[in-house]
Structures are given as C-alpha cells and as structure tokens.
C-alpha cells in the first residue's frame, strides 16, 4: 500500500471515529484532500485510492493539475484567496469556490462561468475568529452578501467556509465551530440550496465535526508535509 493510500485510510477512520462519537453518520462528511504544492501524480494516487474531491489554493497550479487529470474527472474545489484577475480561471475550471467574501468576486465568477457548465458551487467565507486575517466577511455582513450571491444564476450558494484562528483547546475550538454551525442553520432557513459547512483541518477536525461540519479540508495528513522551498508559490 502506498503511503497516500495508507494516510487516506487513517484520515477516513479519524472522520468516522469523530462522527460516531457525536452520533453523526460519517457519510454526511466529505473529505476534501488539499493537494496544494503536490504534483498531479500525488492526486492521481489519491484518486486510485478512491478519493474524489480535491482542494487547491493557487489558481494556476490548480488549473495545471485539472488539465493533467482531466481524463479522471475529480471534483475540484478552489479554497485559496481569490484575486479578481484570477476569477475567470476559477469560473472556467473548478466545480466549487470556498472563498467568496465580496460581491465583486461573486459577480465576476457568475459572469465568467461558462454557460455549458452547471452553476459554480460557492461558499461564503466567514472570518469567524482570526483578527489577523483579511479573508472572509464578518457574520454581521453575511445576510446581505448571501442574498446577493443567491440571486446570481450561474452560482449556486451551498453554504459557508471558515479558517478559524489556530487554537489548541478543544472547548474553545468547539465554541467557534458552533458559531459557524449556527450561522449555517439560519442561512439554510432562507436558501434551500444551502447544505455545506466547510470547516475543520487537521488540528480542529474533531471539534468541527462535533459542531456539524459537512466538509473537512485535510492536506498534510494525506500528502505529507509541504515544501515551499525558498519562495512561496504565486497566487
Ligand atoms: C492548506 C489548507 C488546508 C489543509 O491544511 P493541512 O494543514 O495541510 O491539513 C485546509 N484548508 C485551507 C484553506 C488550506 O489553505
């Protein structure tokens, strides 16, 4: 068994264990394998092991892998910060975008989504706890942005995403995740298309699942440590 195959099994077991501890069906939780900085061959290996959905942070790097693996049809999620000048590549190549946090980006994605493709699935990124992050909107701004996004015909509003500030204490992780789950619950009441909470990484996956996450984003535990070399990858 390759190490990617082995790691995937372990991560799936962790998800199943976390789900069963809080009485949830593990099938409700999608594992998004975050393949940023990893070669297409690593994604191919994960596909071989039954992994279907992959997350990328850097637009051009993601598009290169999407093209290299077009024959095997993985589901590609864009999960990085999105600049306006890269929105077209996301609209044309990805199935999901997790990082919509302003109307200008949503409008561009909508206008640039090719009509022969199904609507782009989008999540609104919420800045739930990280004062140092410029990504994500405040919860107070969510109703207005959600209403505008839901009205765009080539986007499908699926839910919310957050990257909570790093926190070691489980109870505090849980409290933050619970705020996201509450926000999702109220969004769901207004928009029937909403069903997804993208929340939980390697260190807070258990708390995220306990709170109600439906999609955890895991990179290192599947593909191993990332090597950025001396220069970080370009957006
Ligand atoms: C890199 C990244 C992940 C995965 O992080 P790991 O620590 O490698 O598991 C998840 N979500 C986002 C938004 C990321 O950028």
């Amino acid at each position: 068994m390759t190490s990617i195959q082995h790691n995937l099994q372990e991560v799936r077991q962790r998800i199943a264990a976390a789900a069963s501890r809080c009485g949830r069906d593990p099938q409700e939780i999608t594992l998004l394998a975050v393949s940023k900085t990893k070669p297409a061959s690593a994604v191919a290996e994960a596909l071989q092991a039954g992994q279907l959905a992959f997350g990328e942070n850097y637009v051009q790097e993601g598009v290169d892998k999407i093209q290299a693996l077009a024959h095997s049809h993985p589901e590609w999620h864009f999960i990085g910060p999105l600049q306006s000048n890269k929105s077209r590549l996301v609209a044309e190549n990805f199935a999901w975008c997790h990082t919509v946090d302003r109307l200008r980006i949503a409008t561009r994605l909508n206008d640039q989504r090719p009509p022969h493709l199904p609507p782009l699935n989008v999540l609104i990124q919420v800045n739930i706890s990280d004062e140092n992050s410029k990504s994500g909107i405040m919860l107070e701004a969510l109703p207005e942005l959600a209403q505008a996004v839901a009205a765009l015909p080539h986007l499908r509003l699926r839910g919310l995403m957050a990257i909570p500030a790093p926190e070691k204490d489980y109870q505090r992780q849980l409290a933050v995740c619970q705020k996201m789950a509450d926000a999702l619950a109220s969004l769901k009441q207004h928009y029937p298309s909403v069903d997804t909470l993208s929340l939980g990484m390697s260190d807070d996956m258990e708390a995220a699942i306990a709170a109600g996450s439906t999609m955890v984003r895991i990179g290192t535990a599947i593909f191993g440590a990332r090597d950025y070399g001396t220069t970080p990858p370009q957006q």
Side-chain angles (χ1 to χ4, degrees):
M1 197 164 42
T2 69
S3 65
I4 289 176
Q5 204 177 359
H6 170 84
N7 293 346
L8 270 169
Q9 268 188 16
E10 288 203 329
V11 170
R12 288 186 193 127
Q13 278 164 12
R14 240 182 103 188
I15 293 170
S20 83
R21 271 198 298 278
C22 55
R24 293 185 61 196
D25 179 354
Q27 308 275 13
E28 293 171 12
I29 301 149
T30 300
L31 170 57
L32 188 65
V34 177
S35 45
K36 64 184 176 208
T37 81
K38 299 296 175 182
S41 59
V43 176
E45 244 183 274
L47 275 162
Q48 283 285 319
Q51 177 61 30
L52 303 172
F54 295 86
E56 288 285 336
N57 286 57
Y58 309 104
V59 177
Q60 190 56 57
E61 179 195 329
V63 170
D64 291 346
K65 281 177 235 180
I66 290 170
Q67 286 168 357
L69 296 163
H71 54 282
S72 38
H73 306 291
E75 183 177 86
W76 290 101
H77 295 233
F78 185 74
I79 63 170
L82 183 51
Q83 291 160 357
S84 294
N85 62 351
K86 295 288 170 69
S87 62
R88 180 177 295 281
L89 283 172
V90 171
E92 288 178 350
N93 290 281
F94 285 81
W96 288 68
C97 179
H98 290 217
T99 49
V100 170
D101 62 0
R102 54 201 190 277
L103 185 56
R104 177 174 155 74
I105 281 285
T107 305
R108 286 178 69 92
L109 289 170
N110 179 71
D111 295 347
Q112 294 166 342
R113 182 69 168 172
H116 68 275
L117 293 180
L120 180 68
N121 296 294
V122 300
L123 303 178
I124 294 177
Q125 183 176 359
V126 175
N127 186 342
I128 196 70
S129 64
D130 194 345
E131 286 164 17
N132 297 318
S133 170
K134 290 186 200 69
S135 301
I137 57 160
M138 295 296 152
L139 270 184
E140 297 74 45
L142 177 58
E144 193 182 335
L145 182 58
Q147 190 174 36
V149 169
L152 296 170
H154 304 295
L155 303 185
R156 189 165 172 80
L157 178 61
R158 297 294 296 270
L160 301 176
M161 178 271 211
I163 309 172
E167 165 63 63
K168 293 245 174 294
D169 181 75
Y170 177 82
Q171 290 303 331
R172 279 189 240 155
Q173 288 178 351
L174 189 62
V176 170
C177 292
Q178 196 62 59
K179 275 205 266 181
M180 285 299 299
D182 293 347
L184 188 87
S186 56
L187 202 61
K188 254 185 186 168
Q189 294 184 340
H190 295 96
Y191 307 103
S193 60
V194 166
D195 58 6
T196 302
L197 181 57
S198 167
L199 186 65
M201 298 168 48
S202 303
D203 294 332
D204 62 355
M205 182 174 103
E206 277 75 14
I209 289 173
S213 169
T214 67
M215 196 178 283
V216 293
R217 309 179 306 262
I218 308 291
T220 311
I222 297 170
F223 295 109
R226 286 182 290 274
D227 178 8
Y228 286 103
T230 47
T231 45
Q234 299 301 302
Q235 281 300 314

